Amino acid sequence: MIIRQFTLRQGRCVIRRNAARQWKRCLASPADSIHQSLQNQLQETRAIESEVNQYSIHHVQTIDAETHAPVETDSIAEDFQELLRQQKVTGSLGTEVAKHYQPHTLISNPPRPSDVTLELLLASQAHLGHNTSLWNPANARYIFGVHDGIHIISLDVTAAYLRRAAKVVSAVAERGGLILFVGTRNGQDRCVVRAAGLAGGCHLFERWTPGSITNGLQILGKCRLKVVNEFDEEIPGFDSQLADRPPLKPDLVVCLNPLENYIMLHECGLNNIPTIGIIDTDANPTWVTYPIPANDDSLRCVQVIAGVLGRAGQEGQAARREAAARNHITYAPAENLKAPQRDTRSKENGDVHADALDAEARQVSRHT
């Protein structure tokens, strides 16, 4: 259809010269001669269309992969078969660009302290600070430079301080300490729960209740306490002795957003509880004991730091259980705990469960 229209519209250019001359002569001829000229013109036009259709068939000149010589094909089926053969030969060539960033892996398989690299921190946007007009002068030693009015955090300092914080978390977990992970911003709940589960500690992803540490007897007085042995197995029989004991205080607090939890950090300072926090360029590094200069607005950066600290706590817990298997206790025993009294009749009857309870009670009296 396209060729026919092209031929009719541009007949002077496509039709041969003699046909064009006949077209000119037919304009001045009588009606019969005009009709005969039109018939001849139509036949010539159809002949030209057939020639164009023959040359417009899809001919693909392929190249042999071995000899690099052109291969002539005669039909569309052969062209398609040749295309499949070339795809089979050259399909394995080249490289595939895989997806490097998978967000769920930072929760399901967080990095370890040994996996901390500058590339990982750079990919997690840990180097991006705030505008230069919002900076805190106390962070001058953590700032690398300025780009487009934004402070750039030195990733060398971030990696060094993150490894130091990981060692602190691992040491506290190895000595049986209680670690509290706090992250109250939107999206931080999953990484906070995951890090606390790895380190065997507690987590908080909602609003901090003021006075939970300084006035813990009134706020957390109804929380249940339990006695465990060196393998974290609960030992029954101590409920009566735990009724009047004050609630436990964390031995270490990891805060992922210190700006929103200043009251909690102040209470930790009043009770000499060490803290670890992510310090951006607009925060005060003196609020926490072990600052980690990084971007606290990037969820990916927060997930990386929380995962590293959670893995560090997991390593500390594993080291503590391994030492307990060698009958070496790494933490001080609990005070004012007495072994539970059992019925003397069960001893006379040779109750095996009662003997095991006595053995566990003796371990608790020494090591818990």
Side-chain angles (χ1 to χ4, degrees):
M1 178 179 179
I2 298 176
I3 297 176
R4 186 178 297 114
Q5 292 178 356
F6 177 80
T7 305
L8 293 177
R9 292 182 180 180
Q10 305 294 335
R12 291 179 177 272
C13 298
V14 178
I15 302 175
R16 294 176 299 180
R17 292 184 177 180
N18 54 1
R21 293 175 181 175
Q22 293 178 2
W23 177 267
K24 292 181 180 179
R25 287 197 302 269
C26 71
L27 294 177
S29 60
D32 295 338
S33 61
I34 292 175
H35 180 71
Q36 186 66 27
S37 300
L38 290 176
Q39 292 293 335
N40 297 334
Q41 183 66 31
L42 182 61
Q43 293 178 0
E44 293 180 359
T45 303
R46 290 178 179 177
I48 294 174
E49 288 181 0
S50 61
E51 293 178 1
V52 174
N53 290 333
Q54 291 179 0
Y55 283 100
S56 62
I57 298 176
H58 179 65
H59 291 281
V60 179
Q61 186 178 16
T62 58
I63 299 176
D64 192 358
E66 298 180 356
T67 61
H68 301 285
V71 178
E72 296 292 341
T73 57
D74 298 332
S75 63
I76 298 178
E78 293 180 0
D79 294 343
F80 182 70
Q81 295 297 331
E82 181 65 21
L83 177 63
L84 294 181
R85 190 188 68 81
Q86 290 185 1
Q87 290 179 353
K88 184 177 179 180
V89 173
T90 62
S92 60
L93 301 178
T95 59
E96 296 182 0
V97 180
K99 296 182 179 180
H100 297 280
Y101 175 51
Q102 299 178 354
H104 63 277
T105 56
L106 295 178
I107 304 297
S108 60
N109 187 21
R112 300 180 180 275
S114 58
D115 299 333
V116 177
T117 58
L118 300 183
E119 291 80 6
L120 176 62
L121 297 177
L122 182 64
S124 61
Q125 300 178 353
H127 62 290
L128 298 178
H130 283 273
N131 195 282
T132 55
S133 61
L134 302 176
W135 81 307
N136 193 314
N139 292 318
R141 53 183 175 176
Y142 307 141
I143 296 176
F144 177 77
V146 180
H147 179 71
D148 290 341
I150 297 176
H151 277 129
I152 304 300
I153 302 174
S154 178
L155 293 181
D156 294 333
V157 179
T158 302
Y161 279 62
L162 181 57
R163 295 190 183 100
R164 183 186 67 170
K167 291 182 179 179
V168 173
V169 173
S170 178
V172 173
E174 185 177 358
R175 286 164 177 77
L178 181 61
I179 305 175
L180 174 62
F181 289 84
V182 180
T184 58
R185 287 186 181 178
N186 294 332
Q188 295 182 356
D189 49 354
R190 296 183 60 190
C191 61
V192 168
V193 174
R194 178 60 173 169
L198 292 174
C202 304
H203 61 268
L204 174 67
F205 51 84
E206 295 179 352
R207 176 179 176 271
W208 171 264
T209 303
S212 298
I213 296 178
T214 55
N215 194 19
L217 186 61
Q218 298 295 330
I219 298 176
L220 304 176
K222 297 182 180 180
C223 295
R224 179 179 176 270
L225 299 178
K226 63 180 181 180
V227 178
V228 297
N229 57 10
E230 62 271 18
F231 299 103
D232 296 338
E233 300 174 353
E234 184 178 0
I235 303 175
F238 291 90
D239 295 337
S240 59
Q241 302 182 36
L242 299 177
D244 299 333
R245 295 180 68 89
L248 297 178
K249 296 180 181 180
D251 298 294
L252 178 66
V253 175
V254 178
C255 184
L256 303 180
N257 53 333
L259 291 178
E260 291 82 4
N261 296 283
Y262 173 74
I263 298 177
M264 180 198 66
L265 298 176
H266 181 67
E267 293 182 10
C268 293
L270 294 177
N271 291 269
N272 296 325
I273 298 176
T275 56
I276 298 175
I278 301 177
I279 301 299
D280 209 334
T281 56
D282 61 340
N284 190 354
T286 60
W287 287 2
V288 296
T289 310
Y290 301 99
I292 302 176
N295 183 12
D296 60 349
D297 297 322
S298 174
L299 183 59
R300 184 177 178 182
C301 176
V302 172
Q303 290 176 351
V304 169
I305 294 176
V308 170
L309 298 181
R311 287 293 189 184
Q314 185 183 25
E315 294 177 359
Q317 295 286 349
R320 180 179 61 82
R321 296 190 183 96
E322 183 179 356
R326 301 193 305 266
N327 199 17
H328 175 67
I329 308 302
T330 59
Y331 53 91
E335 299 178 356
N336 302 327
L337 280 181
K338 298 180 181 179
Q341 298 293 333
R342 66 179 180 88
D343 192 0
T344 56
R345 291 176 297 179
S346 60
K347 183 177 181 180
E348 293 176 356
N349 296 333
D351 191 354
V352 179
H353 179 69
D355 294 339
L357 182 61
D358 280 347
E360 292 182 353
R362 288 193 296 270
Q363 291 179 359
V364 170
S365 62
R366 293 198 311 268
H367 307 301
T368 305

